[in-house]
Amino acid sequence: MMYYSRLKMLGIISVCLIGALLCLPNFIKSPSPALPWRQVHLGLDLRGGSYLLLQLDLKSLQHDRLQSLQDQARQSLLDKSLGYRDFQKDDQAGVLSFEARSESERTADMKAVEAIPQSVPNEFSISEKDGRILITLQHDALLQRAREAVSQSIEIVRRRIDATGAVDPSIARQGDDQIVVELPGVSDPEHIKTLLGTTARLTFRLLAPNPNVASMGSTMLEDISTHTQVAVQDHIDVDGADLTNAGAVIDQQTGGWAVTFQLNSTGATAFANVTRENVNKRFAIVLDNKVIEAPNIINPITAGSGQITGGFNARSASDLALLLRAGALPAPLAVVEQRTIGPSLGAASIRAGIISLGVGFVLVVMFMALFYARFGLYADIALFANLILMVAILSLFQATLTLPGMAGMLLTLGMAVDANILINERIREEVKRGRPPLQALQAGFERATGTIIDSNATAFLAHVMLFVFGTGPVRNFALTITIGIVTTLFTTLLLSRLLIVRWYARTRPKKLPV
């Protein structure tokens, strides 16, 4: 129990040296090719940055679903050769209504719309009032769709922010319809706000027969290239969801910036069909209900790829390509709260954290040296190694450190001190019972080891669960504690014992200094 082989000693010392090596990049400003350059990143509260609270637009989500239901209802009625009249949407009430072509078809019409697939259970109900057939969206189903839309939006927001090069962004859900975005180091979030405030839903639609007047099944939209209003058909011929890639390029003909796109097989087939059947007609490229351009179809486009020109510059073309690659948001996101945390506040937090960590460490060192003499100094060495190993593991995974994370490190050091005190007290008890030094050391470590492992095992499990189910600062706190428990067991049960064993083997004392 008190014997260490050379291999075991070499292993313990190697772990400590590797830990020190991994720690160094956090204290050196310029990257060194000789070091494994991985650093602990500072969180928003330490480094400063931007905080955005985004809210999903439920009205837009409801409007889009009603529009989709209208298309599905029309198609379902046409498939069964049933007629209809006067489709109307009430976005405020979430109701879609229409009249049957004749009384004899009313029952068949209701059965046809009842057969429309529902995206969530009990999404809508079918009823009849004043001779009109009503399709009513249910509020609970809308909330469920909102929750699903938020989950989908989080992934898209993450892709967009990652593409900007932001380091360690934190993106989390808040409630049913909100998303919290924290951007450490980003002091000017306007560009990010522009990216996240764009739904980026790209569609391809034909213009109405008379582009100057909106007729049934068409809507007047702004043409941003001519700053005029044009009538665009509501029916979507090709959806931007079928895009597989997009990029910013320089147009070889005009020398201006353009965005190229590539469609998957479904989109390519639809694109080929609509361009083949509508040669010499205008085909609108619509982004978020604004017409980017509406060129004439000269020849069928069958390659499944194309190019968008619309007076782009390098920045806007690159941003649009980024948005198209990341995918369209299921509904617009509005910034309802924005805060910027200055670097000076973060520096003050770091200074306060370092002071508290330093003062706490010095007090612990003095206490251990005062009450446990040489063994207290060995415990202090193990404690310092514990701190180094914690920072090393956080650096290895390039984890983000926040104020709660620093609190977790302090708490871990306290737990490590408790473990060393427990060992020293057990050894002291064995000495008082009159045991020889070697037997007192062995019995002291044996009695303390089980207690230390049991208490740390339960704490480890509790903090793993906290990390799995927690969010933001809570996860950071749980992460540092979990790592700290592992390093505490290593330094307390292996390193401090190694120091004591080597001291005993070298001096063979008649009495233990504890």
Side-chain angles (χ1 to χ4, degrees):
M1 186 85 180
M2 298 305 293
Y3 169 75
Y4 275 68
S5 66
R6 288 184 181 275
L7 184 61
K8 192 173 181 179
M9 285 191 292
L10 186 62
I12 295 171
I13 294 171
S14 298
V15 169
C16 294
L17 291 178
I18 292 173
L21 195 66
L22 289 172
C23 262
L24 279 180
N26 296 290
F27 306 99
I28 301 174
K29 291 184 179 179
S30 301
S32 169
L35 292 174
W37 201 260
R38 289 174 175 264
Q39 291 177 305
V40 177
H41 298 297
L42 300 180
L44 186 68
D45 51 356
L46 297 178
R47 186 181 175 189
S50 297
Y51 168 96
L52 298 173
L53 178 60
L54 308 172
Q55 184 158 23
L56 193 78
D57 187 345
L58 288 177
K59 291 182 179 178
S60 175
L61 193 68
Q62 180 169 283
H63 171 81
D64 289 348
R65 184 51 184 149
L66 282 178
Q67 180 65 46
S68 169
L69 269 178
Q70 180 173 313
D71 293 341
Q72 289 179 289
R74 279 178 170 156
Q75 191 61 47
S76 180
L77 294 170
L78 290 175
D79 289 344
K80 292 178 170 52
S81 302
L82 297 171
Y84 56 85
R85 291 183 302 187
D86 191 25
F87 256 105
Q88 292 183 6
K89 290 198 303 288
D90 185 345
D91 287 331
Q92 196 68 28
V95 177
L96 178 69
S97 66
F98 67 95
E99 292 181 10
R101 182 170 55 185
S102 64
E103 285 295 324
S104 60
E105 291 183 351
R106 185 185 305 278
T107 303
D109 282 356
M110 293 186 69
K111 287 183 178 178
V113 294
E114 283 174 353
I116 296 173
Q118 305 199 17
S119 57
V120 296
N122 302 318
E123 183 185 17
F124 56 82
S125 61
I126 312 296
S127 59
E128 183 180 358
K129 184 179 181 182
D130 300 331
R132 297 182 66 82
I133 297 173
L134 308 179
I135 305 174
T136 307
L137 288 176
Q138 301 300 307
H139 184 67
D140 290 343
L142 178 64
L143 290 181
Q144 186 173 344
R145 281 179 60 83
R147 287 192 286 272
E148 294 175 356
V150 167
S151 299
Q152 186 181 351
S153 298
I154 287 174
E155 181 57 32
I156 294 169
V157 167
R158 186 180 302 282
R159 280 188 232 150
R160 292 184 181 183
I161 291 179
D162 287 347
T164 66
V167 179
D168 294 324
S170 172
I171 304 166
R173 171 198 293 273
Q174 178 170 293
D176 288 336
D177 58 351
Q178 293 182 330
I179 300 173
V180 174
V181 179
E182 294 182 346
L183 303 167
V186 177
S187 56
D188 180 15
E190 293 305 318
H191 183 218
I192 301 290
K193 281 174 61 181
T194 303
L195 290 178
L196 300 185
T198 304
T199 307
R201 188 180 183 198
L202 186 70
T203 56
F204 299 85
R205 312 183 212 171
L206 289 169
L207 262 59
N210 183 355
N212 298 319
V213 180
S215 55
M216 181 175 291
S218 66
T219 305
M220 297 299 291
L221 298 179
E222 180 188 1
D223 187 336
I224 60 175
S225 60
T226 61
H227 302 290
T228 58
Q229 296 285 322
V230 293
V232 180
Q233 293 188 7
D234 293 335
H235 176 71
I236 297 172
D237 296 291
V238 182
D239 198 320
D242 292 325
L243 260 69
T244 57
N245 197 12
V249 297
I250 294 179
D251 188 350
Q252 298 299 323
Q253 294 181 347
T254 64
W257 282 92
V259 177
T260 59
F261 61 87
Q262 184 75 39
L263 296 165
N264 60 20
S265 58
T266 303
T269 302
F271 206 86
N273 290 338
V274 70
T275 53
R276 186 181 298 113
E277 295 167 1
N278 295 279
V279 173
N280 294 326
K281 292 183 180 177
R282 295 181 67 188
F283 198 37
I285 301 173
V286 182
L287 179 68
D288 293 345
N289 290 325
K290 290 184 178 178
V291 178
I292 298 178
E293 61 176 330
N296 278 322
I297 302 174
I298 300 174
N299 293 307
I301 302 173
T302 58
S305 61
Q307 180 172 295
I308 304 172
T309 58
F312 297 114
N313 55 33
R315 177 73 173 269
S316 60
S318 176
D319 284 351
L320 178 57
L322 183 157
L323 293 171
L324 295 180
R325 285 196 304 270
L329 292 169
L333 293 172
V335 178
V336 295
E337 185 180 348
Q338 175 185 342
R339 282 187 275 128
T340 300
I341 300 174
S344 57
L345 182 60
S349 299
I350 294 174
R351 190 163 51 250
I354 291 175
I355 291 173
S356 59
L357 189 63
V359 171
F361 190 82
V362 169
L363 290 176
V364 167
V365 168
M366 292 173 61
F367 174 85
M368 293 299 290
L370 185 64
F371 282 86
Y372 298 105
R374 177 180 290 275
F375 284 6
L377 290 175
Y378 291 155
D380 292 336
I381 294 173
L383 201 61
F384 183 70
N386 193 355
L387 182 61
I388 294 291
L389 289 176
M390 270 196 292
V391 177
I393 294 175
L394 289 172
S395 303
L396 188 63
F397 293 103
Q398 295 184 304
T400 300
L401 185 63
T402 62
L403 272 179
M406 293 185 76
M409 294 176 74
L410 274 171
L411 182 59
T412 300
L413 294 179
M415 294 164 64
V417 170
D418 288 344
N420 281 284
I421 289 175
L422 190 63
I423 292 172
N424 290 333
E425 286 296 326
R426 293 291 178 268
I427 294 174
R428 185 177 284 175
E429 288 173 5
E430 297 301 324
V431 171
K432 288 180 179 177
R433 290 177 183 173
R435 292 201 175 192
L438 184 59
Q439 291 182 10
L441 289 175
Q442 183 160 343
F445 271 105
E446 284 179 351
R447 290 178 57 196
T449 297
T451 306
I452 293 171
I453 291 177
D454 289 346
S455 62
N456 280 279
T458 53
F460 180 83
L461 293 175
H463 287 90
V464 165
M465 292 299 103
L466 196 61
F467 179 80
V468 171
F469 295 106
T471 58
V474 175
R475 284 172 63 93
N476 201 261
F477 176 79
L479 176 65
T480 51
I481 292 281
T482 305
I483 292 173
I485 288 173
V486 175
T487 55
T488 294
L489 290 177
F490 173 82
T491 54
T492 304
L493 301 181
L494 294 178
L495 181 60
S496 62
R497 182 183 296 186
L498 171 64
L499 295 172
I500 292 174
V501 166
R502 293 308 304 161
W503 166 79
Y504 181 83
R506 191 175 63 256
T507 61
R508 300 288 178 178
K510 301 293 184 186
K511 183 179 178 183
L512 292 178
V514 65

